[in-house]
Amino acid sequence: MAGIILVNKELGFKALDITGYSLKEMVLVIPPVFILLGLLDIWVPREIMVKYMGKGSGIKGVILAILLGSAAAGPLYGAFPVAAVFMKKGVKFSNILIFIGAWSTTKIPMFLFELSSLGVRFAVTRLLIDIPGIIIIAYILSKVISKNEIEEIYKNAESM
Amino acid sequence: MGNYILYLVAFLLLVLSFIKDRQKTINALKKAWKAFENILPEFLGVIMLVGIMLAILNPEVISGIIGESSGWLGVILSSIIGAITLIPGFVAFPTAAMLLKSGAGYMQIGAFISSLMMVGVVTASVEIKYFGKKLTILRNVLAFLFSFVVAFVIGKVVGVG
């Protein structure tokens, strides 16, 4: 960053400006996300998460994963720590991936914003392709990744 | 607005938790801090990269590349731009609307929005920390390819009308 300012002052300061802005964004969004995570980790017992989103939770788990992801605020990188806590609590891998997908692209606050900026037709069309898209991507990923690799990822989440 | 609701919910639950069990609440906050500390260096790196990216790729540069007549090449380019940039939604949507007005195509904008939201090249370092290299790469590649599907459908449904 300092290098850019030395080479091209205008561009460097613009980058610094945007960084400051994003930092403010992060400071605004991150604290409540992590507080909610801490509370979730302490209060919600593993059995409940397993029952609703674990193996054998079926379509109920899928819908719940989409709803939880869609209700979220904040950029995609905010979803990863949440996913880690979900893994700790025994949520099924494909549901984790669906949750990540929903967080990235079917977020309700974002949808409202899209609706007002780009129009109903654009926003609704995108939402309608995105939902099956997210589910398909999640299933492909959980098929391609081996059991051992999934176990590794869960073990890693345990230590986060 | 989403932020306020998030704060309100977090605050109410925290108070509720504190009333029910003080020690558990303190533990929850400790866990929250630990999780945050864990990922802080990656967050800061990403945010600096985003600053540099956005300074270079301003709306004029973007709209020059993804005009309506740019076809699938424009779709590919806008997916790439979307994949490497990380713009918050409340900036991205008005920007997209502006780009449409200044001649960008619906297909290209569909690809841009989709890959912007689903593919994260600069956030890959954060994703790898949680999910490992293989899954991160696969997820991003699939999401990138998926943005072409989105582009196609948006082009068919919205572009005509």
Side-chain angles (χ1 to χ4, degrees):
Chain A
M1 190 70 93
I4 297 176
I5 294 176
L6 283 178
V7 176
N8 183 336
K9 216 171 158 187
E10 201 192 335
L11 194 70
F13 277 113
K14 203 176 156 200
L16 202 65
D17 203 40
I18 297 169
T19 303
Y21 177 80
S22 312
L23 207 62
K24 212 175 76 195
E25 251 274 290
M26 183 183 111
V27 169
L28 280 175
V29 172
I30 294 293
V33 169
F34 277 89
I35 287 174
L36 287 173
L37 272 183
L39 291 172
L40 172 77
D41 206 351
I42 294 283
W43 284 107
V44 181
R46 197 186 150 88
E47 299 76 57
I48 288 187
M49 291 294 275
V50 170
K51 186 179 159 206
Y52 287 103
M53 292 174 81
K55 286 199 177 84
S57 58
I59 189 83
K60 191 173 60 188
V62 172
I63 292 169
L64 209 57
I66 292 178
L67 289 179
L68 283 173
S70 301
L76 182 57
Y77 54 69
F80 303 133
V82 184
V85 174
F86 280 2
M87 282 189 252
K88 268 196 232 177
K89 297 276 176 194
V91 171
K92 195 177 161 193
F93 194 57
S94 58
N95 285 343
I96 301 260
L97 294 169
I98 290 171
F99 168 78
I100 296 275
W103 183 307
S104 73
T105 194
T106 59
K107 281 210 297 272
I108 295 160
M110 284 297 145
F111 178 74
L112 296 175
F113 219 81
E114 184 174 3
L115 214 62
S116 63
S117 307
L118 297 173
V120 178
R121 206 155 163 173
F122 190 98
V124 172
T125 306
R126 217 175 61 78
L127 183 70
L128 290 181
I129 331 162
D130 273 345
I131 292 172
I134 289 165
I135 296 173
I136 292 166
I137 289 176
Y139 277 102
I140 294 175
L141 286 174
S142 48
K143 284 278 171 289
V144 172
I145 300 281
S146 74
K147 276 227 165 62
N148 285 340
E149 283 165 321
I150 293 175
E151 259 168 46
E152 276 300 309
I153 293 168
Y154 272 69
K155 232 187 255 158
N156 176 48
E158 205 70 53
S159 65
M160 298 297 279
Chain B
M1 199 191 76
N3 287 347
Y4 293 124
I5 296 171
L6 204 62
Y7 267 92
L8 195 70
V9 172
F11 181 74
L12 286 178
L13 288 177
L14 199 62
V15 170
L16 197 73
S17 163
F18 196 77
I19 293 167
K20 268 193 108 175
D21 191 327
R22 219 168 138 168
Q23 191 52 46
K24 270 191 169 180
T25 308
I26 292 169
N27 287 345
L29 287 176
K30 272 188 189 152
K31 281 206 174 199
W33 178 252
K34 200 189 139 216
F36 176 64
E37 224 180 3
N38 210 329
I39 205 66
L40 190 62
E42 272 80 8
F43 271 153
L44 292 179
V46 165
I47 280 169
M48 281 220 276
L49 262 177
V50 171
I52 295 167
M53 252 20 163
L54 286 184
I56 299 168
L57 290 169
N58 55 37
E60 293 88 72
V61 174
I62 298 175
S63 80
I65 307 172
I66 56 173
E68 199 160 5
S69 57
S70 60
W72 280 101
L73 186 68
V75 170
I76 294 170
L77 287 173
S78 43
S79 295
I80 294 172
I81 296 171
I84 53 180
T85 48
L86 199 147
I87 310 171
F90 61 89
V91 179
F93 292 127
T95 306
M98 197 191 72
L99 291 174
L100 279 173
K101 269 201 194 113
S102 55
Y106 273 103
M107 235 166 62
Q108 291 80 353
I109 291 296
F112 171 68
I113 291 283
S114 187
S115 77
L116 178 69
M117 298 182 104
M118 295 180 81
V119 186
V121 171
V122 286
T123 53
S125 63
V126 180
E127 195 170 345
I128 287 171
K129 208 167 170 204
Y130 286 100
F131 285 108
K133 240 190 204 135
K134 187 176 171 188
L135 187 76
T136 300
I137 292 171
L138 279 173
R139 191 194 71 78
N140 282 285
V141 167
L142 284 178
F144 184 75
L145 294 177
F146 178 65
S147 68
F148 292 104
V149 178
V150 175
F152 179 75
V153 179
I154 291 264
K156 280 270 176 266
V157 176
V158 189
V160 191

